[in-house]
Amino acid sequence: MLLHEALARSRHQEAVAAAREYALARRFTAGRRWASLAGYAARRAERARSAARTA
């Protein structure tokens, strides 16, 4: 029975580690996505300010 418990514990630890890595990857990609969106918004705002000055 101890072998089965050790195997179950090992599999559980592997699953927890995989979930932790997945969460880290999602935070990283979400950060890149928000940075890209912020850059787009800044460029658009600058174009709007330029258009307002010339009008």
Side-chain angles (χ1 to χ4, degrees):
M1 194 63 174
L2 291 177
L3 182 61
H4 295 296
E5 291 173 358
L7 184 58
R9 188 176 305 112
S10 175
R11 286 185 177 163
H12 175 71
Q13 289 172 348
E14 289 173 358
V16 168
R20 192 174 296 122
E21 289 174 11
Y22 179 73
L24 180 62
R26 289 208 25 109
R27 282 196 302 264
F28 177 71
T29 56
R32 285 195 328 197
R33 192 174 304 123
W34 280 113
S36 175
L37 183 61
Y40 169 77
R43 289 188 303 274
R44 188 173 168 131
E46 183 57 37
R47 280 197 306 266
R49 280 192 293 271
S50 295
R53 275 187 237 131
T54 59

